[in-house]
Amino acid sequence: MAPSTPAKSKAAAGITADKVTTAATELTARSGLDGWSVRDLAAALTVYPTVIYHHVGDREAVLHAVVERVVAHMPCPPADLPWREWFTEFLWEGREVLRRYPGVARRLCLAGPTVPSALRIIDRGVVVLQRAGFGDQAVAVYTFLVGTAFLHVPLEDERSERVDERLAARDVFLAHGRGDDAPGLATVAAQLGGGGRSPEELTRTDELHYRSILELSLDGAAARLAHLRA
Amino acid sequence: MAPSTPAKSKAAAGITADKVTTAATELTARSGLDGWSVRDLAAALTVYPTVIYHHVGDREAVLHAVVERVVAHMPCPPADLPWREWFTEFLWEGREVLRRYPGVARRLCLAGPTVPSALRIIDRGVVVLQRAGFGDQAVAVYTFLVGTAFLHVPLEDERSERVDERLAARDVFLAHGRGDDAPGLATVAAQLGGGGRSPEELTRTDELHYRSILELSLDGAAARLAHLRA
DNA sequence: ACCTGAACACCGTTCAAGT
DNA sequence: ACCTGAACACCGTTCAAGT
């Protein structure tokens, strides 16, 4: 059977842009945004690749639609929360969603406000910051908080695909464990020594790491707020 | 002339891994890490693609070598600087280097300590933080500061390739300029209104943006330090 | 309007063969 | 050891043709 020939047995007649996006989103959940080709997507729909072009457009257009779909599923905490709680909740739950669709976080950070679904979140986030007293710094602080947090998600995405490379990196540090020549690396080694090697433990480490990043960036924002009030 | 056939006229005899890496680094400076193929690289060396495989390895290996080469060019400020100055200088000048090689920043954040050249920087950075009093938080804070800063560089890399998409996003906000329905977006629009549309002005905006991110993250670290001392 | 089927111009990578 | 040249199994995208 030729690879680009749809199986006639299970022809999904009446393709729409919506069905294409749904299928693309499912493929993304399974193998990431870079894990499928236009031809794979067509095959999943038992359709010729050109049908994708007809209903949605080129690969870029499909990716955009997937990002839009995923962002639409992101939570948007109530506007009456205090700023620190609002961002803690949004960034924590946002991570959960983004992690289910590897590769989307990176494109979201890139595309940013091009995605219509993101507008309601941006609007509320900025309002929450303004009410807290950030004034005209609200936009800069919003960008910093969301960018810092979500930029770390794709890092986790790709690192989880390379567990062995990650363990190798760890061993490099551990080799400097008691080295007087490199006291900084020895510290890193000591820090890493406690963690385990299993995938579950690595996931747990990622979680703690993310929480640490959240708190540090929220502290940075808090410091700026204190400075503005002084 | 067949695309994969090296021009015999200018045959660069005696290919070495070093020459391959140099050529790949030059191509990266010109068109980014994703802007050339193995075949392009071979053509630049007037050599068959298989020669690359023989001397360096597959594409991944070449990319790794390029990152290594670029990191070797990064500055490493003197260890006796106060922690905030050390990171300001390193992250600011590091950005300059990384921006000259689009795509490298992202891979660097990903590969992290896998790159040997990075080890001397990590070691010194962690030592500087420890001496400042960060104790066992030094590693977490180092990761936060460097990650946050350098993760924003590839964003700039890719955004600069899509200036029109960026301007389109701006117009979306400006459309909400006086909207009472979306006061947050109106604020973003007001913030954006001042900036110009020329590439130079966008670069200037990026620079201010990066500086703002640096200061916010350094403030976050400073807050943690104050907390540790209390 | 929607789908077919072939084709174009690429990829990264492998491999047997030469020298 | 090093390079040649062809080949394999893919890509995204376009286009003329069908219905």
Side-chain angles (χ1 to χ4, degrees):
Chain A
M1 151 172 75
S4 60
T5 303
K8 270 83 182 180
S9 58
K10 195 190 161 192
I15 290 295
T16 61
D18 199 75
K19 281 183 186 171
V20 172
T21 304
T22 300
T25 307
E26 278 166 9
L27 284 179
T28 301
R30 204 172 315 143
S31 49
L33 212 53
D34 295 327
W36 52 264
S37 65
V38 174
R39 291 166 127 107
D40 291 334
L41 175 56
L45 289 161
T46 55
V47 127
Y48 282 85
T50 45
V51 175
I52 311 283
Y53 283 80
H54 188 264
H55 288 282
V56 183
D58 63 7
R59 180 160 217 273
E60 204 65 18
V62 179
L63 296 181
H64 194 88
V66 171
V67 172
E68 167 67 33
R69 179 73 58 92
V70 171
V71 173
H73 285 11
M74 297 237 299
C76 190
D80 55 347
L81 281 180
W83 75 272
R84 190 153 180 146
E85 276 78 2
W86 193 90
F87 278 91
T88 302
E89 190 173 322
F90 171 63
L91 296 175
W92 196 256
E93 295 185 8
R95 183 183 101 117
E96 292 293 292
V97 174
L98 291 174
R99 273 189 65 83
R100 285 206 293 274
Y101 301 93
V104 170
R106 193 167 88 89
R107 280 193 74 90
L108 175 59
C109 290
L110 208 87
T114 303
V115 183
S117 299
L119 290 178
R120 77 182 203 286
I121 296 170
I122 295 172
D123 183 55
R124 187 169 292 180
V126 170
V127 166
V128 165
L129 288 176
Q130 280 191 304
R131 220 192 28 228
F134 280 94
D136 59 357
Q137 300 272 318
V139 177
V141 171
Y142 176 89
T143 308
F144 168 69
L145 289 175
V146 178
T148 299
F150 285 171
L151 277 172
H152 278 84
V153 175
L155 261 196
E156 297 177 25
D157 287 349
E158 301 191 48
R159 278 214 257 247
S160 61
E161 290 164 13
R162 313 179 173 202
V163 182
D164 37 341
E165 191 177 327
R166 211 175 149 182
L167 290 172
R170 234 184 66 159
D171 290 339
V172 171
F173 286 115
L174 292 175
H176 291 270
R178 64 180 85 249
D180 309 303
D181 52 327
L185 300 183
T187 306
V188 178
Q191 203 73 206
L192 258 41
R197 304 180 76 89
S198 71
E200 296 78 22
E201 285 169 302
L202 288 177
T203 302
R204 176 79 187 129
T205 303
D206 278 345
E207 211 164 276
L208 288 172
H209 184 215
Y210 187 77
R211 193 174 282 281
S212 162
I213 283 160
L214 273 196
E215 277 166 22
L216 278 161
S217 56
L218 288 166
D219 282 350
R224 172 139 318 179
L225 184 58
H227 187 261
L228 284 171
R229 281 177 176 154
Chain B
M1 151 172 76
S4 61
T5 302
K8 271 83 184 180
S9 58
K10 196 188 158 192
I15 289 295
T16 61
D18 199 76
K19 281 183 185 170
V20 172
T21 305
T22 301
T25 307
E26 279 166 9
L27 283 178
T28 301
R30 204 172 315 144
S31 49
L33 212 53
D34 294 327
W36 52 266
S37 65
V38 173
R39 291 166 127 108
D40 292 334
L41 176 56
L45 289 161
T46 55
V47 125
Y48 282 85
T50 45
V51 175
I52 311 282
Y53 282 81
H54 187 265
H55 287 282
V56 182
D58 64 6
R59 179 159 218 273
E60 205 65 19
V62 178
L63 296 180
H64 194 89
V66 171
V67 173
E68 167 66 34
R69 179 70 59 92
V70 171
V71 173
H73 285 11
M74 297 236 300
C76 189
D80 55 347
L81 282 179
W83 75 273
R84 191 155 180 144
E85 275 79 1
W86 192 91
F87 278 91
T88 303
E89 189 173 322
F90 171 63
L91 296 175
W92 196 257
E93 295 185 8
R95 184 183 101 117
E96 292 293 292
V97 175
L98 290 175
R99 273 189 66 84
R100 286 205 292 274
Y101 301 94
V104 170
R106 193 168 89 88
R107 280 194 73 91
L108 175 59
C109 290
L110 209 87
T114 302
V115 183
S117 299
L119 290 178
R120 77 182 204 287
I121 296 171
I122 296 172
D123 182 54
R124 187 169 291 179
V126 171
V127 166
V128 165
L129 288 175
Q130 281 191 305
R131 220 192 28 229
F134 280 93
D136 60 356
Q137 300 272 318
V139 177
V141 171
Y142 176 89
T143 309
F144 168 69
L145 290 174
V146 178
T148 299
F150 285 171
L151 278 172
H152 278 85
V153 174
L155 261 196
E156 297 178 23
D157 287 350
E158 301 190 50
R159 277 212 255 248
S160 61
E161 290 164 14
R162 314 179 172 202
V163 182
D164 37 341
E165 190 176 326
R166 210 174 149 184
L167 290 172
R170 234 183 66 159
D171 290 338
V172 171
F173 285 115
L174 292 175
H176 291 270
R178 66 179 83 249
D180 310 301
D181 51 329
L185 298 183
T187 306
V188 178
Q191 204 75 203
L192 258 41
R197 304 180 75 89
S198 71
E200 297 78 21
E201 285 169 303
L202 289 176
T203 301
R204 178 79 188 128
T205 303
D206 277 344
E207 210 164 277
L208 288 172
H209 184 215
Y210 187 77
R211 192 174 283 282
S212 161
I213 282 160
L214 272 196
E215 277 166 21
L216 278 161
S217 55
L218 287 167
D219 282 349
R224 173 141 317 181
L225 184 58
H227 188 261
L228 284 172
R229 281 178 176 153

